[in-house]
């Protein structure tokens, strides 16, 4: 056998090596046994055995988002592949680069309803950026390299490669990445059109009430984009607001940062969004969680939209100046164009705008009152931030109120330290994602800010954390309710709390111990700090059960179908008792 | 809504398994209209197929459809033939007619006006082949309805730009 000849399974291992992959998250089964056999016989590629395939994809997402690399998943055919579907959809919605290898029945049995056969390419077509079924071992290397290329370039996303078992056994020729010719069809545009840059610069030159609206597309682009984003702020002195996916792209402690925007964003962010005259969207996608009622969204602004995906432009909101390209390249060109124009902000106008914003900021819309009996969920998160600020800390979350409070109150100074399920809102994301982050950053502190309902959705991954001694900390903000559901029921359904009480909860301390981890419980405000310190000091995985106020709601809130200037600031706010519009009721 | 436009869009794709499913799945999944869709290989050497799709929507939706199509990995070019000016649109239909006597004579007389050809014939039935715009085919089929039309098969629209412009 010549050097390039090998079987399909060995080719998979070789291709992953050539793509710089050092870890795979997976779960074995009949159809992928040849790959597991090849894995067994090598030692450069690490395999993390999860306890559910959904967990494998979320772990790969956490790994990818905290490193900027492609996350890799390996699962078997049929149920292995279908279990991965939620994770793939999550990665698609949040633009996370994933390559997911799925086993498949041998080619001659495809279509026969063979044991553990599922139409994986059919099922995953709408939830991947692209997918492949490899029928010939001589296509395998090319497809694998192309899969990595597609996953990480342009708007990143998940790619599935379906591998029939006979192809894994067949002998064929391996080709390294540099010998794979690029396909003619897939050519993402990364360089911006200079004419658009000029138009954008001209508009920025004359802005009187400008606002930067930054999103996940800054993070996706990488550290350089984040740095250039900061430079642009230094140059202009304009205010910045960030989406849930953009948190960390600009330091939260900076005076120019107005906080989260959108449904649970700050008063100052949303009113600035509503009142600005020039909006510069950098890598955000005008999600409905951000725009509220589109017809009332920022009615008087001219809008610049920087995005690598042309389909993001004019999808929800009419754009005046679209700039298609990679954030880093666009920002570099934009900074150049502003310098060439000897940009100087309209200082009097800007000062007036800032004065208005400072007025809104004074409302202190994230304010809460911590008494001395019941722990407020916000307090628990605020203390978690305060006591971890001095070290390298990564935060993942589950989905619900706790997620929103984390987004509001945990102050991210750096990008790539915040992983949350934004687009799909997948309960059960946080623990496996934390595992993926911890694998990539073994010495860092990784905390999953969780709800007691969400954590049960992938709690089996505690076993993974314990097996690999991954010291993830699960910080459960336990309100005994699906709090976010309860909040909507209170607001929209006459406080009829249908099925949103999480009864029969496990004893989380004992649960932790059953897995071989540590469990801590905290019920008094005065114990919060000590509990967090203890959690950090324990070298292994920990579950912390923090009993918080069951009735607390997450404010501010823009009710569905409302405009930014119709936001509810808190329980005392008059509007909170007002009915939501009929159109608003049907919105999610 | 009043600002609904009809557009003929030509899509050049790498001819690989699943590509048609991707296009159709995109339209179904995102709730876009398909009035007609045809596909065939057009360049064997370069492994290219052409999909012609006729769709309708507001200008914003049409723009989305094109952007979403362009995002699919195997798609090479998306061309909005309607937007780019005049284009030729043609469809082919086969009509099976049954009957004898007056109706048969009348249908053959009308067929002449529409330049429809008889491509199969028995004592009691025959098959017309007719090409033209969708409107012309609709008109012809309507006329044939009372004259013994029993079955219709249509290709859907194929379109190409006029003049020198090409892909
Ligand atoms: C319970 C709940 C409540 C929520 N409430 C809020 C809220 O109040 N506020 C909020 O903001 N979100 C909220 N979200 C999240 C929301 O659903 C969206 O996920 C989020 O707003 C999208 O963020 P984004 O616009 O930054 O886009 P992302 O989903 O991060 O998309 C990134 C965009 O950047 C583009 N892009 C990618 N790579 C590049 C590149 N290299 N160069 C240029 N462009 C690139 C992409 O094409 C895309 O358009 C909530 C989610 C949940 C589950
Ligand atoms: C898989 C999944 N199922 C259902 C939902 C709908 N949902 C959103 S938040 C939520 C409640 C979450 O409760 P918990 O984890 O306790 O968080 P809390 O809101 O109480 O902080 C539910 C059921 C979801 N987002 N994901
Ligand atoms: Mg809860």
């Amino acid at each position: 056998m010549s050097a390039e000849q090998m079987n399909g399974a060995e080719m998979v291992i070789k291709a992953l090596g050539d793509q710089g992959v050092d870890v795979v998250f997976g779960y074995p089964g009949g159809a992928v046994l040849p790959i597991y056999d090849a894995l067994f016989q090598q030692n450069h590629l690490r395999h993390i055995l999860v306890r559910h395939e959904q967990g494998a994809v979320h772990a790969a997402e956490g790994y990818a988002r905290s490193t900027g690399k492609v996350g890799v998943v390996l699962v078997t055919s049929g149920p292995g592949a279908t279990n991965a579907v939620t994770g793939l959809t999550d990665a698609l919605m949040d633009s996370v680069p994933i390559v997911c290898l799925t086993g498949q029945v041998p080619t001659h049995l495809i279509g026969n309803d063979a044991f553990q056969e599922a139409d994986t390419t059919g099922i995953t077509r709408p939830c991947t950026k692209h997918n492949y079924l490899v029928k010939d071992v001589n296509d395998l290397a090319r497809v694998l390299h192309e899969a990595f290329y597609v996953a990480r370039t342009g708007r990143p996303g998940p790619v599935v490669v379906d591998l029939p078992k006979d192809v894994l056994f067949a002998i064929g020729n391996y080709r390294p990445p540099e010998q794979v010719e690029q396909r003619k069809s897939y050519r993402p545009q990364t360089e911006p059109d200079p004419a658009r840059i000029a138009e954008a610069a001209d508009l920025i030159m004359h802005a009187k009430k400008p606002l930067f609206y930054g999103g996940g597309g800054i993070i996706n682009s990488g550290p350089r984009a984040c740095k250039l984003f900061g430079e642009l702020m230094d140059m202009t002195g304009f205010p910045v607001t960030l989406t849930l996916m953009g948190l960390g792209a600009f330091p939260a402690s900076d005076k120019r940062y107005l906080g989260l925007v959108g449904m649970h964003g700050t008063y100052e962010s949303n009113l600035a969004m509503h009142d600005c005259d020039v909006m510069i969207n950098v890598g955000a996608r005008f999600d409905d969680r951000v725009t509220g009622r589109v017809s009332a969204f920022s009615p008087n602004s001219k809008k610049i939209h920087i995005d690598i995906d042309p389909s993001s432009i004019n999808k929800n909101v009419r754009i005046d100046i679209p700039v298609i390209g990679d954030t880093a390249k666009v920002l570099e060109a934009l900074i150049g164009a502003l310098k060439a124009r000897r940009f100087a902000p309209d200082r009097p106008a800007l000062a007036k705008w800032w004065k208005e914003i400072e007025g809104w900021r004074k409302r202190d819309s994230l304010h809460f009152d911590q008494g001395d009996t019941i722990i407020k969920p916000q307090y628990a998160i605020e203390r978690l931030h305060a006591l971890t600020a001095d070290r390298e800390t990564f935060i993942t979350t589950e989905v619900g109120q706790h997620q929103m409070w984390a987004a509001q109150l945990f102050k991210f100074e750096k990008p790539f330290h915040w992983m949350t399920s934004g687009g799909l809102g997948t309960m059960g994301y946080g623990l496996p994602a934390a595992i993926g982050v911890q694998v990539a950053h073994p010495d860092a502190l990784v905390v999953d800010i969780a709800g007691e309902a969400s954590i049960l959705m992938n709690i089996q991954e505690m076993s993974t954390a314990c097996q690999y001694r991954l010291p993830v900390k699960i910080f459960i903000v336990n309100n005994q309710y699906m709090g976010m559901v309860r909040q909507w029921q209170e607001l929209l359904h006459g406080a009829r709390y249908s099925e949103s009480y999480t009864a029969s909860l496990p004893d989380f301390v004992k649960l932790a111990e059953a897995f071989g981890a540590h469990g801590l419980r905290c019920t008094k405000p005065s114990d919060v700090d000590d509990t967090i310190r203890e959690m950090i000091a324990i070298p292994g995985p920990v579950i912390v059960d923090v009993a918080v106020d069951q009735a607390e709601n997450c404010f501010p809130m823009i009710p569905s179908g409302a405009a930014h200037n119709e936001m509810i600031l808190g329980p005392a706010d008059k509007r909170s008792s007002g009915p939501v519009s009929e159109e608003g009721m049907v919105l999610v | 809504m009043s600002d609904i436009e009809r557009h003929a869009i030509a899509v050049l794709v790498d001819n690989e398994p699943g590509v048609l499913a991707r296009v159709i799945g995109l339209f179904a999944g995102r709730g876009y209209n398909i009035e007609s869709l045809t596909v065939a290989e057009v360049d064997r050497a370069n492994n290219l197929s052409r999909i012609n799709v006729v769709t309708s929507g507001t200008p914003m939706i049409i723009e989305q459809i094109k952007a979403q199509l362009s995002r699919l990995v195997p798609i090479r070019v998306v061309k909005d033939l309607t937007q780019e000016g005049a284009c030729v649109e043609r469809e082919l239909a086969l009509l099976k007619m049954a009957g004898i006597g007056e109706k048969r004579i009348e249908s053959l007389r009308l067929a002449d006006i529409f330049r429809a050809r008889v491509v199969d014939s028995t004592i009691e039935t025959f098959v017309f082949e007719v090409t033209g715009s969708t409107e012309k085919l609709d008109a012809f089929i309507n006329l044939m309805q009372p004259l013994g039309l029993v079955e219709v098969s249509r290709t859907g629209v194929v379109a190409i730009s006029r003049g020198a412009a090409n892909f």
Side-chain angles (χ1 to χ4, degrees):
Chain A
M1 237 193 305
S2 81
E4 295 86 12
Q5 288 247 309
M6 58 186 84
N7 75 29
E10 291 161 345
M11 250 185 227
V12 168
I13 304 295
K14 179 105 175 91
L16 295 183
D18 283 354
Q19 288 293 337
V21 177
D22 50 17
V23 60
V24 176
F25 301 90
Y27 205 93
V32 284
L33 285 181
I35 301 180
Y36 275 87
D37 201 32
L39 264 174
F40 192 79
Q41 300 180 46
Q42 56 82 51
N43 50 24
H44 60 269
L45 193 61
R46 188 173 179 209
H47 179 274
I48 302 288
L49 177 68
V50 294
R51 300 302 190 265
H52 185 294
E53 290 85 350
Q54 183 190 352
V57 187
H58 294 324
E61 287 186 273
Y63 177 90
R65 240 189 141 72
S66 66
T67 60
K69 296 203 271 187
V70 177
V72 182
V73 178
L74 172 60
V75 299
T76 193
S77 67
T82 55
N83 270 351
V85 164
T86 300
L88 293 169
T89 312
D90 192 89
L92 183 73
M93 292 292 269
D94 286 345
S95 305
V96 186
I98 298 290
V99 168
C100 176
L101 309 175
T102 56
Q104 183 54 280
V105 301
T107 44
H108 67 275
L109 288 181
I110 289 178
N112 281 21
D113 298 325
F115 177 63
Q116 294 200 325
E117 179 183 359
D119 176 7
T120 299
T121 45
I123 290 169
T124 61
R125 204 172 283 129
C127 66
T128 52
K129 181 172 172 186
H130 193 53
N131 63 16
Y132 303 84
L133 170 63
V134 182
K135 287 187 162 172
D136 179 348
V137 70
N138 289 309
D139 289 339
L140 181 55
R142 175 187 60 79
V143 166
L144 288 169
H145 297 313
E146 192 176 290
F148 276 86
Y149 179 72
V150 169
R152 71 168 178 263
T153 53
R155 179 177 184 166
V159 176
V160 162
V161 184
D162 203 22
L163 302 165
K165 195 169 181 180
D166 55 330
V167 173
L168 296 175
F169 279 122
I171 307 281
N173 287 315
Y174 178 77
R175 280 192 290 166
E178 55 279 8
Q179 276 177 33
V180 172
E181 66 284 0
Q182 264 197 24
R183 65 186 299 158
K184 293 206 177 74
S185 59
Y186 173 74
R187 294 287 160 89
Q189 182 184 342
T190 58
E191 295 289 344
D193 175 353
R196 295 304 202 181
I197 294 288
E199 286 174 45
D202 287 342
L203 188 59
I204 291 171
M205 292 288 286
H206 300 110
K208 300 207 178 321
K209 299 162 101 185
L211 178 69
F212 277 101
Y213 153 39
I218 309 175
I219 311 270
N220 279 134
S221 180
R224 220 170 77 80
C226 300
K227 195 173 149 281
L228 290 165
F229 191 63
E231 263 178 46
L232 198 53
M233 247 40 74
D234 290 341
M235 213 175 147
T236 59
F238 291 177
V240 194
T241 178
L242 294 172
T243 69
L244 187 73
M245 302 312 289
L247 297 181
F250 189 74
S253 58
D254 193 294
K255 282 296 272 179
R256 288 160 296 186
Y257 179 57
L258 308 187
L260 181 73
V261 71
M263 184 173 272
H264 293 291
T266 61
Y267 189 63
E268 54 272 31
S269 275
N270 285 324
L271 286 198
M273 199 82 149
H274 189 266
D275 283 6
C276 64
D277 72 340
V278 172
M279 179 187 298
I280 309 130
N281 172 335
V282 187
R285 58 183 171 85
F286 292 104
D287 184 80
D288 52 67
R289 249 22 21 179
V290 167
T291 59
R293 190 166 74 242
V294 173
S295 60
F297 176 68
S298 194
N300 304 315
S301 62
K302 287 252 190 265
K303 300 175 185 74
I304 299 169
H305 188 179
I306 298 168
D307 204 296
I308 201 160
D309 180 355
S311 81
S312 288
I313 310 283
N314 287 332
K315 182 196 273 176
N316 305 321
V317 168
R318 265 270 159 238
I319 299 306
D320 299 282
I321 304 177
V323 188
I324 295 175
D326 173 58
T327 305
K329 296 191 169 166
V330 174
L331 293 185
E332 188 169 34
L334 188 60
I335 289 170
L338 287 172
K339 280 189 181 150
R341 284 166 176 71
R342 298 182 197 290
F343 170 81
D346 181 341
R347 289 198 194 283
L350 200 57
K352 214 173 129 208
W353 178 224
W354 268 115
K355 206 163 155 235
E356 218 173 330
I357 291 172
E358 291 304 338
W360 296 325
R361 183 138 51 190
K362 283 210 186 73
R363 295 287 290 261
D364 193 11
S365 60
L366 302 180
H367 176 83
F368 60 92
D369 288 312
Q370 176 59 63
D372 32 57
T373 47
I374 310 173
I375 303 170
K376 288 284 181 189
Q378 299 95 316
Y379 177 72
I381 289 167
E382 204 174 71
R383 294 312 300 157
L384 181 67
H385 173 247
L387 296 171
T388 57
D390 60 340
R391 61 181 73 225
E392 181 83 349
T393 306
F394 292 83
I395 299 292
T396 71
T397 74
E398 306 292 336
V399 171
Q401 291 179 321
H402 62 277
Q403 176 192 26
M404 291 299 112
W405 283 314
Q408 293 174 338
L409 299 164
F410 209 97
K411 306 294 178 199
F412 294 94
E413 296 297 308
K414 287 187 288 189
F416 317 111
H417 287 68
W418 162 247
M419 341 286 137
T420 196
S421 170
L424 198 63
T426 312
M427 292 169 70
Y429 167 89
L431 169 53
I435 286 173
V437 174
Q438 190 84 72
V439 166
H441 309 273
D443 300 325
L445 176 65
V446 183
V447 184
D448 172 23
I449 298 180
E452 80 297 334
S454 296
I455 194 62
L456 290 178
M457 286 217 176
N458 273 322
I459 191 70
Q460 78 284 347
E461 299 307 330
M462 272 308 284
S463 180
T464 310
C466 291
Q467 178 182 343
Y468 296 96
R469 297 196 167 79
L470 300 167
V472 295
K473 317 297 179 198
I474 298 160
F475 191 79
I476 303 178
V477 181
N478 188 344
N479 53 9
Q480 296 190 36
Y481 271 99
M482 298 173 196
M484 189 56 90
V485 174
R486 196 195 51 72
Q487 177 166 350
W488 280 53
Q489 289 172 331
E490 184 178 322
L491 213 67
L492 302 173
H493 297 278
R496 290 178 295 280
Y497 298 130
S498 179
E499 306 294 331
S500 54
Y501 180 68
T502 31
S504 296
L505 281 170
D507 178 329
F508 283 108
V509 174
K510 284 191 186 147
L511 187 62
E513 286 162 2
F515 279 110
H518 271 83
L520 300 174
R521 179 167 289 120
C522 179
T523 54
K524 291 204 298 268
S526 54
D527 287 346
V528 169
D529 279 19
D530 283 347
T531 309
I532 293 171
R533 284 199 193 94
E534 196 180 346
M535 173 191 90
I536 298 170
I538 295 171
V542 183
I543 296 182
V544 187
D545 183 10
V546 187
V548 301
D549 189 345
Q550 298 185 10
E552 192 69 19
N553 283 333
C554 185
F555 294 112
M557 179 178 182
I558 303 175
S560 299
H564 284 178
N565 57 357
E566 296 164 1
M567 77 187 322
I568 305 170
L569 280 171
D573 194 343
K574 282 279 173 293
R575 273 171 297 201
S576 62
S577 52
V580 167
S581 71
E582 242 172 80
E583 291 119 89
M585 281 292 279
V586 303
L587 298 175
V588 181
Chain B
M1 258 194 284
S2 56
D3 58 345
I4 299 283
E5 299 173 356
R6 175 184 176 280
H7 283 239
I9 296 170
V11 189
L12 217 52
V13 302
D14 286 334
N15 188 7
E16 60 182 39
V19 62
L20 184 60
R22 286 183 208 286
V23 171
I24 292 174
L26 175 81
F27 276 77
R30 294 189 183 264
Y32 306 143
N33 281 323
I34 300 182
E35 289 184 6
S36 152
L37 187 142
T38 69
V39 57
E41 190 174 62
V42 289
D43 180 348
R44 174 148 302 172
N46 289 304
N47 200 31
L48 289 177
S49 288
R50 180 173 172 132
I51 297 173
N52 290 292
V53 50
V54 178
T55 184
S56 56
T58 61
M60 206 156 159
I61 294 286
I62 299 285
E63 193 188 338
Q64 261 298 299
I65 290 174
K66 290 184 281 183
Q68 292 292 350
L69 282 170
S70 306
R71 233 154 72 106
L72 298 179
V73 169
I75 285 190
R76 294 249 191 126
V77 192
V78 176
K79 256 183 112 132
D80 186 339
L81 298 173
T82 305
Q83 188 182 47
E84 288 178 13
C87 67
V88 183
E89 286 184 29
R90 285 291 178 274
E91 214 185 321
L92 182 148
L94 297 172
L95 287 79
K96 185 168 285 186
M97 309 293 297
I100 46 171
E102 259 320 296
K103 284 187 175 174
R104 187 171 167 120
I105 294 162
E106 176 65 3
S107 64
L108 283 166
R109 200 183 59 75
L110 286 167
D112 222 29
I113 304 170
F114 282 81
R115 293 175 204 266
R117 291 198 301 139
V118 175
V119 290
D120 177 61
S121 175
T122 68
I123 305 283
E124 267 125 34
T125 67
F126 57 95
V127 175
F128 281 131
E129 173 198 299
V130 60
T131 61
S133 67
T134 298
E135 296 72 35
K136 171 178 157 184
L137 265 54
D138 287 346
F140 185 63
I141 290 164
N142 277 338
L143 281 172
M144 291 301 117
Q145 214 83 54
L147 299 176
L149 179 66
V150 291
E151 190 178 338
V152 183
S153 180
R154 294 171 73 151
T155 57
V157 173
V158 294
I160 204 159
S161 57
R162 287 183 192 275
N166 60 30
F167 264 118

